[in-house]
Amino acid sequence: MLERILPRSVASAELLVFPEDLTAHPAEEHLIAKSVEKRRRDFIGARHCARLALEQLGEQPVAIGKGERGMPLFPRGIVGSLTHCDGYRAAAMAHSLRFRSVGIDAEPHDTLPEGVLDSVSLPEEREWLSATPGEGLHLDRLLFCAKEATYKAWFPLTLRWLGFEDAHISFEIDSRTDDSGSGTFHTKLLVPGRTNDGGAALTEFDGLWLIADGLILTAIAHV
């Protein structure tokens, strides 16, 4: 599913069923040695997907460390993003000569828990939600998912926190049925976007979203 919302030059891999014989890379085991089983499976599964995506790019399937605020440490010349939720782990990877950053997120297609929306959204975003017929789509969770993808595209280029209130997201809905949909989204950054890669400051991101098979997926591939 993820490849449907990523450019062809971005490699991706997904894992819906966790293989019982899948174990952590030896060089990563210390990062999850004290983690509960669910956390271990999410960590192992997402990094397994990352190595599959690296191989698609012609790169070696190396260990993937953990940096500031938990940021995955990819090989030099590679940008990417990992995500996981119940029953789903995935990764998207690209060469940095082609894309400055990649951000993906996956969420269950369900409403946000009570009280969460106000803490993750701006008044303008809540106005859009209230004015847009849902028709079976949980657009509040879609908004949250797009905010998460935005953060993942932002942080590696800035190494600075981005709060939910620091990005305004607007959506276009291209198609929908009772339980699926797709479209684009635009993120307007509301804080200075000075970067560490020598490129232009960040002011906005454009992404794609998809709802299908009980999942919400969002993706940003920023050039």
Side-chain angles (χ1 to χ4, degrees), residues 13-223:
E14 301 167 299
L15 188 65
L16 278 73
V17 178
F18 191 91
E20 292 302 321
D21 60 348
L22 184 61
T23 59
H25 190 289
E28 297 168 356
E29 174 61 37
H30 71 284
L31 297 172
I32 51 171
K34 298 182 180 179
S35 298
V36 300
E37 186 61 23
K38 181 183 185 306
R39 169 61 181 153
R40 286 182 60 85
R41 287 187 171 223
D42 288 340
F43 183 98
I44 293 168
R47 277 166 166 73
H48 171 70
C49 290
R51 279 184 276 278
L52 293 177
L54 282 172
E55 289 185 295
Q56 292 176 39
L57 294 174
E59 303 289 337
Q60 292 297 311
V62 297
I64 297 168
K66 187 165 62 173
E68 189 174 346
R69 293 188 181 271
M71 179 181 70
L73 298 178
F74 300 122
R76 185 177 179 85
I78 297 294
V79 295
S81 183
L82 310 179
T83 189
H84 55 77
C85 65
D86 286 346
Y88 185 82
R89 292 96 178 175
M93 316 286 282
H95 288 111
S96 59
L97 290 176
R98 179 65 181 86
F99 295 95
R100 293 179 71 191
S101 67
V102 174
I104 62 170
D105 194 58
E107 298 289 333
H109 185 216
D110 199 355
T111 56
L112 284 172
E114 186 175 354
V116 172
L117 179 60
D118 286 350
S119 65
V120 302
S121 64
L122 298 169
E124 299 91 336
E125 294 165 337
R126 294 193 292 275
E127 289 176 10
W128 177 79
L129 288 171
S130 63
T132 304
E135 297 184 16
L137 301 187
H138 298 293
L139 300 179
D140 57 343
R141 182 81 73 159
L142 171 62
L143 173 63
F144 176 80
C145 193
K147 294 249 180 176
E148 290 289 296
T150 293
Y151 176 78
K152 293 177 183 180
W154 158 277
F155 188 77
L157 286 174
T158 64
L159 297 181
R160 299 195 307 279
W161 181 254
L162 185 74
F164 290 112
E165 73 281 3
D166 296 329
H168 174 244
I169 299 184
S170 54
F171 295 89
E172 293 291 337
I173 300 175
D174 296 334
S175 63
R176 84 171 115 191
T177 64
D178 287 343
D179 58 359
S180 66
S182 62
T184 62
F185 66 92
H186 178 78
T187 300
K188 179 181 179 182
L189 298 166
L190 307 179
V191 292
R194 184 181 69 257
T195 62
N196 56 23
D197 69 341
L202 301 175
T203 59
E204 60 186 1
F205 292 118
D206 288 300
L208 295 172
W209 62 271
L210 173 70
I211 297 176
D213 296 337
L215 292 170
I216 302 174
L217 301 176
T218 53
I220 294 169
H222 184 64
V223 296

